[in-house]
Amino acid sequence: MAGLAPTFGRGAMTNHWNDIKNANLVLVMGGNAAEAHPVGFKWVTEAKAHNQAKLVVVDPRFTRTASVADLYAPIRTGSDIAFLGGLIHYLLDTDQIQHEYVRNYTDMPFIVKEGFSFADGLYNGYDADSRSYPDKSEWDYELDENGHARVDPTLSHPRCVYQLMKKHYSRYTPELVSQICGTPLKRMMQVWDTIAETAVPGKTMTILYALGWTQHSVGSQMIRAGAMLQLLLGNIGMPGGGVNALRGHSNIQGLTDLGLLSNLLPGYLTLPRDNEQDYNAYIAKRAPQALRPGQLSYWQNYGKFHVSLMKAWYGDAVSAENNWGYDWLPKLDVPMYDVLKVFDMMYEGKMNGYFCQGFNPIAAFPNKAKISAALSKLKYLVVMDPLTTETSEFWRQVDDYNDVDTASIQTTVFRLPTTCFAEENGSLVNSSRWLQWHWKGAEPPGEARPDVFIMGGLFHRLRAMYQQDGGAFPDPILNLDWSYERPDEPTPEEIAREFNGKALVDLKDPNTGEVLVKAGQQLSGFGQLRDDGSTASGCWLFCGSWTEDGNLMARRDNSDPYDMGQTLGWAWSWPANRRILYNRASADPSGQPWDDEHKRLVWWDGSKWTGTDVPDFAARSAPEDNMNPFIMNPEGVARFFARGNMAEGPFPEHYEPFETPIGRNPLHPNSAAVTSNPASRVFRNDMEVFGRADEFPHAATTYRLTEHFHYWTKHNRLNSIAQPQQFVELGEVMASELGIKAGDRVRVSSNRGFIEAVAVVTKRIRPLQVDGKTVHHVGIPLHWGFVEVAKNGYITNTLTPFVGDGNTNTPEYKSFLVNVEKV
Amino acid sequence: MDMNRREFFKFCGVGLGASSLAALGMTPEPAFADSIRHFKLTASKETRNTCPYCSVGCGLLMYSRGSGGKNAKQEIFHIEGDPDHPVNRGSLCPKGAGLIDFIRSPNRLHYPQVREPGSNEWKRVSWDEALDRIARLMKEDRDANFVEKNDAGQTVNRWLTTGFLAASAASSEAGYMTHKVVRSTGILGFDNQARV
Ligand code: SF4
């Protein structure tokens, strides 16, 4: 969630499911929670029924969420930044913002360097050849002689963030926004006015978004625009507020927290780049000094987290002498080897082996033809899954659904059966950041085994071979700590204790000498971690989940004494069991709740912070110490101005999808270079297969149905009975123009391929007037494939473009161009 | 109390939280329990779990049959929402409610298999054979293509010719272990569903 961390300091859902009931207004945009997160959505119903909350939905389709909304506004797919930028302009222009909040808790008074500029859709420092901003040093604050950022509390300095932001969004007039988004002006103003009402202290709006924001070439900036909106309204850290990233999978949050991404290590620690050869400089860069007096800047503890991780992985083999095994970590020569990059390398014949653990890339990644060709060039592919996936059978000819020449595909494919949730113990982290433990209820079928067994089995064999025969740089493999009771299959309990962490020697209070934690004991929180090798913790963020008190993830006390929905005794939430992030901001600068009746979360009781939630703050820092609520940011406040943390620039700017139905960016109609995201990476050959509106006139977007989960449930009878057959959704006007009736079979094609499906003709999609043109949307559910108990269907991602967000490289599944014909 | 939990809910007729009723002094009298038909879940084992689909993380109760004896296998025959869970309070969506069919899907994999180059079929292999072969392929590729130093002579220790996609429905424990092993080999082409 690359838009949130640059704003608030952490990249996760700020609030949680139950807390939605505390909202006065719920904005669902970039998601369809009623359909995709149905049970979580019941907390919206709860807010409507018991908190008189209103629900506003902004979406290209009149979704199931929209059908129960108080107010619905249509929007063209991919234009959300224009909508939100216009709203930011409107709030600033009409002065409907939470003044005391933004003045104290955000960077509005901070003064930006003189070299920062924005003109014709580009920030200063752009390099067209590399499609990036190699030098972002001017996108930063002006510092004083102590290294602190200069501020102007009057907000009148022309280069303070407030003034720059005001100027940036002054171009986003209601008329222009309506022209870009296709949202009728009157309806748009109604939505904006409703949202503006939550600027008063004590009234909160929550935003629920999902992949409808993430999956765009400007997805991270859409999320950031939403985050900025919430800051303006004073809705971050508040009960019933927040920017709530509704994660797609059951443990995406956990796997991300554990750093299973190209450039990460557990707990959002990051891998070094090639030029970071010096260990101390590597740590120092990630442990920033406070940028304002009295701020916590919690990442200053980075070294403690990193050393504790390396001790958990490498035990006695790492010490200060070898820089805690720094050279055993791989270094990056590019920002990341994300899946698009890896599949492009595979397509170019530069990869030999690939592993898919519970992942079905040929269905899940864009441009199936390219993915299929890429897999065909591998020497070996290993698929670990409980189910038969299309990826494991990418070589099999299945009619038009998978038209390949089997004999010519020289890839060796291994398919390893794994257990499913019901057949193992372990924890999952839900969107609310709750680590919830689950228990095994049955044996797996046949010889299926847990993923840990497979990883352990491969590791042992590799290590034995490197011991016997040597080979390329064996050190990190030979030295990996593997002191598990049963080395071939470590238990989930052992592993969970390892990521929590333990003391390696007696930990003493440096002042009194008193032993705080005995050697070998589990740590009770990340505050105990040290950078001298005396503690081990595989993921500092999860430290506190399995303490000397046992497995806190298995807790089942659902009591809610304050009736605020915090249930602090249920499972365990990172960080430190805090349920709402940045909750210090729910109290005013003097430490009292903005609304003492309805929004009581944390407060200063005269000697410490306390409340209905665990304070996300230094527990004994009195309000008069002026420490600010955003403790992960070195400035202590949240950022409207992202500094150098975003690829495209510090303020979100609207750029068109790479396949745009209008062919120009109405904000910059005369500059083709900034039609679409100028900082998105585009590979050779992919630019050429982007479609244009003259051939592919309709705006398409992919989505999920409530009866199905991705490409899994088509293997289940019940789900397949509920939704047996692939369909596409067309609006009535478009269908009648094309002579298509409900139930007709249609062919939907993009510049990369086609699918055929049954037409569902609906009132839920209406034509929009965009930039003087009529734009029709086509909705394409994504659940079918060529291995299933439902009817075979086409892989929807046959159609989608191979380009991603400028920061995360998440593919642009939600906005592309298609043509539709009756077959 | 004499009733077990399920009988108690049946008696109450609705899935109200047992704890709140108990708090109101409404625990049922033993006499009522006797008048109730023997409930079919009584002989089953109840196991708590979490829905593996979306990120709501609904709590589940799984019911399985089996003597519990050493050689007897437990078989799950029913799954429903956990009424004590603060988020779902017993409810499940159509996906969670159909989970039993995921466990029992005819498309579950039972044995390790291999598809050889150019072949049109799967061949069953033993775990040892599969893991031995994969480990050898990994080592061959790593030894041939591992990069210790870049062109500038900087230490980089990376392995780019093999990649790994991790599962986002796997437990955190599986994920942690996967990360630990994958990173020790120097792999950088490493992602999970959070990317897409
Ligand atoms: S039951 Fe439905 S809403 Fe609940 S976690 Fe499963 S998929 Fe999500």
Side-chain angles (χ1 to χ4, degrees), chain B residues 86-137:
Chain B
V87 177
N88 63 308
R89 293 182 171 176
S91 56
L92 294 175
C93 82
K95 291 179 283 287
L99 272 169
I100 187 76
D101 276 7
F102 171 26
I103 300 175
R104 293 174 172 177
S105 168
N107 293 344
R108 285 292 300 268
L109 300 172
H110 291 243
Y111 308 102
Q113 293 164 306
V114 62
R115 177 265 181 189
E116 304 290 358
S119 162
N120 195 23
E121 58 185 24
W122 289 107
K123 191 178 75 191
R124 182 174 163 185
V125 291
S126 70
W127 273 106
D128 270 337
E129 185 186 340
L131 295 178
D132 284 347
R133 281 183 65 181
I134 297 165
R136 267 200 307 276
L137 284 163

Side-chain angles (χ1 to χ4, degrees), chain A residues 4 12-17 19-20 205-210 230 240-247 431:
Chain A
L4 297 180
M13 177 154 165
T14 57
N15 295 44
H16 58 92
W17 293 112
D19 176 66
I20 297 169
M205 169 174 80
T206 183
I207 294 182
L208 309 182
Y209 78 91
Q230 286 293 63
V243 183
N244 293 308
L246 312 184
R247 298 294 197 144
S431 227

Side-chain angles (χ1 to χ4, degrees), chain A residues 17-18 38-39 42-43 215 247-252 255-256 258-262 264 266 274 277 313 327 330-331 333 336-339 351-355 357-359 365 379-380 385-388 392-393 395 406-407 409-415 417-418 420-423 426-427 430-431 436-442 445 447 461 465-466 470 472-473 476-477 481-482 484 492 495 498-499 538 556 558 570 706 708-709 712-713 715-718 789 808 810, chain B residues 47-58 60 62 64 74 76 82 84-89 91-95 98-99 101-103 105-115 117-120 122 124 127-128 130-143 145-146 148 150 154-158 160-181 183-184 186 188-196:
Chain A
W17 293 112
N18 297 56
V39 179
K42 78 182 196 179
W43 292 96
Q215 293 173 339
R247 298 294 197 144
H249 289 68
S250 58
N251 204 26
I252 276 199
L255 276 271
T256 306
L258 288 163
L260 282 85
L261 288 163
S262 177
L264 296 186
D274 279 7
Q277 294 288 310
W313 280 4
D327 286 345
K331 294 194 179 65
D333 56 337
M336 63 183 90
Y337 285 91
D338 56 282
V339 291
M351 306 225 12
N352 299 314
Y354 205 61
F355 288 77
Q357 180 190 56
F359 206 139
F365 292 170
K379 187 169 174 198
Y380 67 102
D385 212 285
L387 294 163
T388 313
S392 71
E393 304 205 338
W395 44 269
T406 303
I409 296 174
Q410 293 300 303
T411 312
T412 305
V413 185
F414 297 89
R415 185 156 78 176
T418 60
C420 76
F421 71 103
E423 298 147 5
S427 62
N430 74 357
S431 227
Q436 304 193 89
W437 195 260
H438 62 263
W439 289 266
K440 173 175 173 172
E447 292 180 4
R461 285 166 175 81
M465 284 190 285
Y466 276 103
F473 197 58
I477 295 174
D481 183 72
W482 207 270
Y484 303 107
I495 300 168
E498 177 175 325
F499 63 57
R556 299 185 51 83
N558 61 10
W570 184 272
T706 205
H708 275 302
F709 191 77
W712 308 7
T713 52
H715 297 291
N716 305 355
R717 230 166 337 204
L718 263 177
V789 302
T808 60
T810 298
Chain B
T47 310
R48 294 188 158 114
N49 210 299
T50 307
C51 175
Y53 292 133
C54 89
S55 64
V56 177
C58 293
L60 306 174
M62 308 191 299
S64 54
Q74 290 292 131
I76 297 171
D82 179 352
D84 294 335
H85 195 283
V87 177
N88 63 308
R89 293 182 171 176
S91 56
L92 294 175
C93 82
K95 291 179 283 287
L99 272 169
D101 276 7
F102 171 26
I103 300 175
S105 168
N107 293 344
R108 285 292 300 268
L109 300 172
H110 291 243
Y111 308 102
Q113 293 164 306
V114 62
R115 177 265 181 189
S119 162
N120 195 23
W122 289 107
R124 182 174 163 185
W127 273 106
D128 270 337
L131 295 178
D132 284 347
R133 281 183 65 181
I134 297 165
R136 267 200 307 276
L137 284 163
M138 289 172 79
K139 182 160 189 296
E140 258 168 46
D141 183 43
R142 187 175 181 274
D143 285 349
N145 296 302
F146 193 82
E148 288 193 35
N150 64 9
Q154 294 165 324
T155 302
V156 297
N157 288 329
R158 58 179 165 245
L160 296 178
T161 47
T162 285
F164 198 107
L165 268 182
S168 297
S171 67
S172 295
E173 291 68 28
Y176 175 79
M177 220 50 187
T178 300
H179 196 168
K180 188 170 170 177
V181 171
R183 228 40 120 176
S184 78
L188 286 174
F190 184 37
D191 260 344
N192 76 75
Q193 267 106 343
R195 182 71 68 205
V196 298

Side-chain angles (χ1 to χ4, degrees), chain A residues 514-631:
Chain A
E514 179 202 351
V515 175
L516 302 169
V517 189
K518 288 212 208 76
Q521 282 189 332
Q522 290 293 108
L523 300 172
S524 54
F526 47 70
Q528 293 172 333
L529 297 175
R530 299 188 177 182
D531 61 3
D532 58 3
S534 59
T535 56
S537 167
C539 181
W540 71 274
L541 216 48
F542 290 176
C543 190
S545 60
W546 194 311
T547 68
E548 283 298 304
D549 292 333
N551 182 357
L552 274 65
M553 300 176 276
R555 294 185 307 164
R556 299 185 51 83
D557 175 2
N558 61 10
S559 61
D560 178 19
Y562 294 91
D563 197 25
M564 290 291 289
Q566 306 303 340
T567 58
L568 297 178
W570 184 272
W572 186 85
S573 172
W574 72 256
N577 205 32
R578 295 160 189 161
R579 304 285 157 146
I580 295 181
L581 296 178
Y582 322 110
N583 58 28
R584 161 67 182 90
S586 69
D588 63 20
S590 78
Q592 294 313 304
W594 293 105
D595 175 349
D596 210 16
E597 203 179 332
H598 303 291
K599 310 283 178 197
R600 281 167 67 77
L601 200 53
V602 303
W603 54 88
W604 177 253
D605 73 0
S607 62
K608 63 176 186 316
W609 285 90
T610 181
T612 68
D613 191 5
V614 180
D616 184 9
F617 203 57
R620 302 218 171 253
S621 175
E624 44 283 11
D625 296 343
N626 289 322
M627 186 188 281
N628 274 316
F630 294 86
I631 56 175

Side-chain angles (χ1 to χ4, degrees), chain A residues 181-394:
Chain A
C181 300
T183 311
L185 193 59
K186 203 171 136 211
R187 184 67 63 87
M188 190 175 83
M189 297 312 298
Q190 241 177 320
V191 171
W192 288 4
D193 284 331
T194 308
I195 290 173
E197 284 170 21
T198 66
V200 295
K203 249 194 152 191
T204 54
M205 169 174 80
T206 183
I207 294 182
L208 309 182
Y209 78 91
L211 300 169
W213 270 359
T214 316
Q215 293 173 339
H216 291 277
S217 51
V218 286
S220 299
Q221 293 281 24
M222 283 183 190
I223 298 164
R224 235 188 82 67
M228 290 164 67
L229 169 65
Q230 286 293 63
L231 282 176
L232 277 180
L233 298 166
N235 284 335
I236 300 298
M238 295 290 290
V243 183
N244 293 308
L246 312 184
R247 298 294 197 144
H249 289 68
S250 58
N251 204 26
I252 276 199
Q253 187 64 51
L255 276 271
T256 306
D257 298 338
L258 288 163
L260 282 85
L261 288 163
S262 177
N263 53 333
L264 296 186
L265 288 168
Y268 301 92
L269 307 181
T270 52
L271 280 176
R273 296 289 296 264
D274 279 7
N275 58 8
E276 299 188 287
Q277 294 288 310
D278 180 56
Y279 169 71
N280 291 321
Y282 160 77
I283 296 291
K285 189 174 167 202
R286 289 156 177 77
Q289 297 297 309
L291 274 171
R292 292 288 302 156
Q295 302 310 311
L296 194 55
S297 189
Y298 201 73
W299 278 117
Q300 286 185 91
N301 297 299
Y302 191 99
K304 300 174 186 172
F305 309 152
H306 179 84
V307 172
S308 299
L309 165 67
M310 296 307 275
K311 289 302 279 185
W313 280 4
Y314 289 107
D316 292 339
V318 294
S319 63
E321 277 75 70
N322 62 1
N323 288 324
W324 314 103
Y326 184 55
D327 286 345
W328 297 351
L329 293 173
K331 294 194 179 65
L332 286 154
D333 56 337
V334 292
M336 63 183 90
Y337 285 91
D338 56 282
V339 291
L340 293 186
K341 169 106 181 139
V342 165
F343 271 86
D344 191 65
M345 286 163 61
M346 212 186 280
Y347 183 74
E348 301 273 334
K350 293 180 188 152
M351 306 225 12
N352 299 314
Y354 205 61
F355 288 77
C356 300
Q357 180 190 56
F359 206 139
N360 192 4
I362 200 167
F365 292 170
N367 192 358
K368 173 181 176 264
K370 183 167 179 176
I371 303 296
S372 177
L375 291 171
S376 305
K377 289 183 181 152
L378 286 176
K379 187 169 174 198
Y380 67 102
L381 170 70
V382 182
V383 177
M384 318 170 190
D385 212 285
L387 294 163
T388 313
T389 63
E390 277 78 9
T391 299
S392 71
E393 304 205 338
F394 78 94

